[in-house]
């Protein structure tokens, strides 16, 4: 939808795009008109809202009633200035967790949606101004409690995951130490075997000194038994 056409529909700070058979919200064009703080896109053919719809933080009042919305964007809570929200007659069963961040929300209509029991019970009827304001208060409180519960479950799962990883790491460290100990033991065993082999080798083979001594003794004995020229054995002194 051209931006010029949107400006033609602008009345003060109110932009009326209802009854236009819209299948998508013209977010880019809306972002260029920050003056339009009140947006009416009721009675169209919207099934979903694009994620960047949540960037329209200038919106104060939004009418999404009588569409076919089955869910809201996960970051819907980024619409920090939203005070008035009409979701009458859609196909919503739940609200995003971030809904609890709509701290300025003062008016909410969730009638004629197939809400889950918790939301349905807290939404109430919203048949007049007072009931719609009460609906906003109860739903915000309920979503905050729900968000806190979700966070507790996330933290619990995170702790369980960390504990599991820590046990696995401890097991891996233990296995690594065992392998290192086995490797060291094998290395020490081979060193001991080598030491023993060398020791046995030294015992089996005479030393150089002993061999020299045995050779000298043999020479002396041979010399002692050799006759001189007179035919007599030399006398050893």
């Amino acid at each position: 939808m051209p931006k010029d056409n949107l400006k033609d529909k602008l009345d003060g700070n109110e932009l009326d795009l209802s009854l236009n058979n819209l299948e998508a919200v013209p977010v880019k064009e809306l972002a260029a008109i920050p003056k339009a703080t009140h947006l009416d896109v009721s009675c169209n053919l919207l099934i979903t809202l694009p994620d960047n719809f949540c960037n329209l933080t200038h919106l104060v009042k939004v009418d999404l009633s009588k569409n076919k919305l089955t869910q809201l964007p996960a970051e819907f809570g980024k619409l920090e200035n939203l005070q008035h929200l009409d979701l009458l007659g859609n196909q919503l069963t739940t609200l995003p967790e971030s809904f609890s961040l709509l701290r300025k929300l003062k008016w909410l209509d969730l009638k004629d949606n197939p809400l889950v029991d918790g939301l349905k019970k807290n939404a109430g009827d919203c048949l007049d101004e007072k009931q719609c304001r009460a609906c906003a208060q109860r739903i915000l409180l309920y979503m905050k409690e729900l968000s806190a519960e979700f966070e507790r479950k996330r933290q619990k799962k995170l702790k369980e995951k960390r504990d599991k990883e820590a046990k696995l790491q401890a097991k891996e460290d233990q296995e690594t130490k065992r392998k290192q100990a086995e490797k060291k033991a094998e290395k020490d065993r081979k060193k001991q075997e080598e030491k023993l082999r060398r020791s046995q080798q030294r015992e089996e083979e005479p030393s150089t000194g002993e061999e020299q001594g045995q050779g000298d003794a043999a020479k002396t004995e041979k010399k002692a038994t050799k006759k001189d020229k007179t035919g007599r054995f030399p006398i050893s002194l």
Side-chain angles (χ1 to χ4, degrees):
M1 180 177 290
K3 183 169 67 173
D4 292 339
N5 291 350
L6 290 187
K7 286 186 176 180
D8 291 341
K9 295 176 179 296
L10 186 64
D11 183 9
N13 64 346
E14 298 181 3
L15 182 59
D16 188 355
L17 300 180
S18 63
L19 299 166
N20 273 281
N21 292 319
L22 292 178
E23 295 182 357
V25 177
V27 176
K28 184 177 179 180
E29 291 79 2
L30 290 172
I33 314 176
K35 183 181 179 180
T37 58
H38 293 192
L39 175 64
D40 185 353
V41 284
S42 63
C43 302
N44 280 294
L45 305 174
L46 303 176
I47 296 177
T48 60
L49 296 177
D51 291 338
N52 60 353
F53 182 85
C54 304
N55 296 329
L56 302 176
T57 55
H58 62 279
L59 293 177
V60 174
K61 179 178 180 179
V62 176
D63 189 347
L64 289 161
S65 64
K66 297 183 180 179
N67 277 283
K68 299 180 181 180
L69 296 173
T70 58
Q71 62 181 9
L72 298 180
E75 296 186 347
F76 196 80
K78 289 174 63 177
L79 299 174
E80 57 187 6
N81 291 306
L82 192 61
Q83 298 180 24
H84 183 116
L85 178 60
D86 194 340
L87 293 168
L88 167 72
N90 280 281
Q91 297 299 315
L92 298 171
T93 57
T94 61
L95 296 175
E97 185 180 344
S98 67
F99 200 92
S100 62
L101 301 177
L102 299 175
R103 297 181 178 88
K104 294 183 179 181
L105 190 66
K106 302 182 184 306
W107 194 101
L108 177 63
D109 190 351
L110 286 170
K111 289 193 309 297
D112 299 331
N113 281 279
L115 301 171
V116 294
D117 290 342
L119 283 173
K120 184 177 181 179
K121 179 180 178 181
N122 284 279
D125 292 328
C126 192
L127 298 175
D128 54 36
E129 184 75 11
K130 183 179 179 180
Q131 288 184 348
C132 290
R133 286 182 174 276
C135 173
Q137 292 178 352
R138 288 194 302 266
I139 290 296
L140 281 181
L141 180 60
Y142 175 75
M143 292 303 298
K144 287 178 182 178
E145 293 174 348
L146 206 59
S147 180
E149 180 63 23
F150 286 154
E151 182 61 25
R152 283 193 292 270
K153 289 181 179 179
R154 276 196 294 267
Q155 291 301 324
K156 182 179 179 181
K157 288 183 178 180
L158 183 60
K159 183 178 182 303
E160 290 174 351
K161 181 181 179 181
R162 287 175 177 172
D163 290 346
K164 185 177 180 180
E165 290 175 348
K167 288 181 180 180
L168 182 60
Q169 186 62 50
K171 186 177 180 180
E172 291 177 352
D173 292 344
Q174 186 177 8
E175 181 66 13
T176 299
K177 289 180 180 180
R178 184 187 67 79
K179 289 181 179 180
Q180 290 176 342
E182 288 181 351
K183 187 175 181 180
K184 184 178 183 301
E186 179 65 14
K187 187 176 181 180
D188 292 342
R189 183 184 66 78
K190 288 182 178 181
K191 283 184 178 180
Q192 189 64 28
E193 288 179 350
E194 180 63 18
K195 184 178 180 181
L196 180 61
R197 185 185 68 78
R198 290 180 179 179
S199 177
Q200 290 175 343
Q201 188 177 32
R202 285 196 297 269
E203 291 177 358
E204 293 173 356
E205 297 178 3
S207 66
T208 303
E210 291 177 346
E211 291 176 347
Q212 184 65 39
Q214 291 175 357
D216 292 344
K219 289 179 181 180
T220 301
E221 183 179 355
K222 184 176 182 181
K223 183 177 181 181
T225 56
K226 187 177 182 181
K227 294 179 181 181
D228 61 9
K229 292 181 178 181
T230 61
R232 293 176 296 182
F233 294 101
I235 301 174
S236 299
L237 297 180

